Amino acid sequence: VAVKPQLASFERLGWRGLRILEGICSFARDQGLLVIADGKRGDVPVSARAYADALTSNGIGALVDAFTVNPFTGADSIEPFVDAAERSGSGIFVLVRTSNPGAADFQDLVVDGAPLFEHIAQVVAGFADRLEGSSGLTGMGAVVGATEPDHLERIRELLPKSIFLIPGVGAQGGKATDLAAAFSPGRASALVNASRSIAGADDPARAAEQLRESLWEVSGAPSRTT
Amino acid sequence: VAVKPQLASFERLGWRGLRILEGICSFARDQGLLVIADGKRGDVPVSARAYADALTSNGIGALVDAFTVNPFTGADSIEPFVDAAERSGSGIFVLVRTSNPGAADFQDLVVDGAPLFEHIAQVVAGFADRLEGSSGLTGMGAVVGATEPDHLERIRELLPKSIFLIPGVGAQGGKATDLAAAFSPGRASALVNASRSIAGADDPARAAEQLRESLWEVSGAPSRTT
């Protein structure tokens, strides 16, 4: 349903990489796929506005349906992205709890009895209404790694309507069968991302299909046979 | 002594903006200026490696002397940047305490009796040796806003050898006269950045010269007359 180009992989090729990326985004859209620009941008407000422009109106912006944002610089730095997304109809996935081992270094530090990622989730929740769609879900989403299922469950409590982008399944050790909580508001409420475990499989199409089936199952529907 | 192109301002122009940026970096280097790529990149290790490549070897990487990094995803995500900087001889400025009001939302939250930014400074300190130069200073630097001078003093205690990149002077309200602590290890130990207060001045050259003079004074030398 969606492709999530990692901007870093194109930036390492210089401006030519970015030109290639525009072509890929354009092709993906023509195929009916959603495009999630995974750049994890974040900066103080004046620069956040420029990044938000880049992701919603110019360059690849016109070809992107959603993008990832790093919340480190605080709510005033998330606001310009929300503002731009309101105007363009885009979705946002704010990093709340990432899937790498080092995520614990800062995101899990306990502040007033709750880990930092819960405080971030609360700030994200404060923007939820502004991107709420007619389905009841909100485009003010969160990146929540599959590698710590308990965190995922807790973040779903704090963000009942947000769409989750869930990395860490496959190569990083997360299991599709642990993700039921993420889908609690309904099947459209989470996007599970797998890259290396599919691209590196002997039969990528089969690996993708197996992942799709186990997610379909855990999200509550009878398994489809294709 | 240095120019600090904000990558967001070029990205908003799409790949053509990045091509222009390469030209600007190349021109600045020809003029003998250091180039600091201000992109505040940060991502899980596999993607951090790609960003580090983009900033040290390909594209603008070959034209960049230092770059800014967002620490949110933890030490394992900073490591690939340090590794690349060791090989290229680049410097790194990790966001420790930014200059915007929203910085307080997460960076100032208290964990075990100390604000989060001190915990980040300690992680930065752990990498300091790897980028130490012959002057005794280390290229494992920190972004520390001028808007909270007390924080700056505390972070200097935790990072005695790091070069500081100091935004927030001028338009954001920080004062050059509050920055003495930042320069305590010597005059080369801090880079003060001002953008809007210079670019928007009636006489930008004069505004820049005034800022340079007050910094020269606060950093310990007799004021120079030009």
Side-chain angles (χ1 to χ4, degrees):
Chain A
V1 292
V3 291
K4 182 175 76 66
Q6 167 54 252
L7 302 195
S9 307
F10 297 90
E11 287 182 25
R12 76 194 304 177
L13 305 173
W15 61 265
R16 291 173 187 83
L18 275 291
R19 192 170 61 179
I20 291 166
L21 176 62
E22 283 191 25
I24 290 173
C25 292
S26 177
F27 178 77
R29 290 273 287 236
D30 288 347
Q31 303 300 310
L33 294 165
L34 293 169
V35 176
I36 303 169
D38 190 8
K40 301 187 174 65
R41 299 300 193 249
D43 209 318
V44 300
V46 64
S47 304
R49 267 192 289 280
Y51 280 126
D53 267 4
L55 291 163
T56 57
S57 56
N58 303 309
I60 60 166
L63 304 166
V64 158
D65 299 286
F67 51 85
T68 55
V69 164
N70 185 315
F72 181 71
T73 45
D76 65 0
S77 309
I78 299 174
E79 206 284 329
F81 290 105
V82 178
D83 181 55
E86 278 184 315
R87 280 180 282 114
S88 66
S90 310
I92 300 179
F93 297 102
V94 176
L95 303 188
V96 171
R97 179 42 169 96
T98 57
S99 56
N100 58 313
D105 294 345
F106 304 128
Q107 298 164 27
D108 292 357
L109 293 179
V110 174
V111 180
D112 291 337
L116 178 63
F117 67 75
E118 293 192 18
H119 297 265
I120 296 169
Q122 274 155 0
V123 168
V124 173
F127 291 109
D129 286 353
R130 289 174 58 182
L131 299 183
E132 191 166 321
S134 53
S135 69
L137 292 172
T138 173
M140 190 67 199
V143 175
V144 187
T147 46
E148 299 280 352
D150 295 346
H151 294 348
L152 214 156
E153 198 172 336
R154 176 67 184 131
I155 296 167
R156 176 51 83 196
E157 285 172 29
L158 295 168
L159 293 170
K161 296 176 173 179
S162 289
I163 299 175
F164 283 7
L165 177 63
I166 304 181
V169 169
Q172 295 182 65
K175 290 183 186 59
T177 47
D178 286 339
L179 304 180
F183 289 99
S184 64
R187 192 157 294 149
S189 63
L191 277 166
V192 176
N193 164 239
S195 305
R196 283 169 283 167
S197 62
I198 289 178
D202 290 335
D203 183 346
R206 186 148 175 270
E209 181 56 29
Q210 281 175 342
L211 176 60
R212 194 194 60 71
E213 280 215 27
S214 42
L215 289 170
W216 196 256
E217 203 162 335
V218 80
S219 70
S223 175
R224 296 203 319 187
T225 49
T226 44
Chain B
V1 292
V3 290
K4 184 176 74 67
Q6 167 55 253
L7 302 196
S9 307
F10 298 89
E11 286 182 25
R12 76 194 303 176
L13 305 173
W15 63 264
R16 291 174 187 82
L18 275 290
R19 191 169 62 178
I20 292 166
L21 175 62
E22 282 191 27
I24 291 173
C25 292
S26 177
F27 178 78
R29 290 274 287 236
D30 288 348
Q31 302 300 308
L33 294 166
L34 293 169
V35 176
I36 302 168
D38 191 8
K40 300 187 175 66
R41 299 299 193 250
D43 208 318
V44 299
V46 64
S47 304
R49 266 192 291 279
Y51 280 125
D53 266 5
L55 291 163
T56 58
S57 56
N58 303 309
I60 61 166
L63 304 165
V64 158
D65 298 287
F67 50 87
T68 55
V69 164
N70 183 316
F72 180 70
T73 45
D76 66 1
S77 310
I78 298 173
E79 206 284 330
F81 290 105
V82 178
D83 182 56
E86 277 184 315
R87 281 182 280 114
S88 65
S90 309
I92 301 178
F93 296 103
V94 175
L95 303 187
V96 171
R97 188 18 175 111
T98 57
S99 56
N100 57 314
D105 294 344
F106 304 128
Q107 298 164 28
D108 292 358
L109 293 180
V110 175
V111 180
D112 290 337
L116 177 63
F117 67 75
E118 293 193 19
H119 296 266
I120 296 169
Q122 274 156 358
V123 168
V124 173
F127 290 109
D129 286 353
R130 290 175 57 181
L131 298 182
E132 191 165 320
S134 53
S135 69
L137 292 172
T138 172
M140 189 68 201
V143 175
V144 187
T147 46
E148 299 281 352
D150 295 345
H151 294 348
L152 214 157
E153 198 172 335
R154 176 66 185 133
I155 296 167
R156 177 49 85 195
E157 286 172 28
L158 295 170
L159 293 171
K161 297 176 172 180
S162 289
I163 300 175
F164 283 6
L165 177 64
I166 304 181
V169 170
Q172 295 181 64
K175 291 183 184 60
T177 47
D178 286 338
L179 303 181
F183 289 99
S184 65
R187 192 158 294 148
S189 63
L191 278 166
V192 177
N193 164 239
S195 305
R196 282 167 284 166
S197 61
I198 289 180
D202 290 335
D203 182 347
R206 185 148 176 272
E209 181 57 29
Q210 282 174 342
L211 176 61
R212 195 194 60 72
E213 280 216 26
S214 45
L215 288 170
W216 196 256
E217 204 162 333
V218 80
S219 69
S223 176
R224 297 202 319 188
T225 48
T226 45

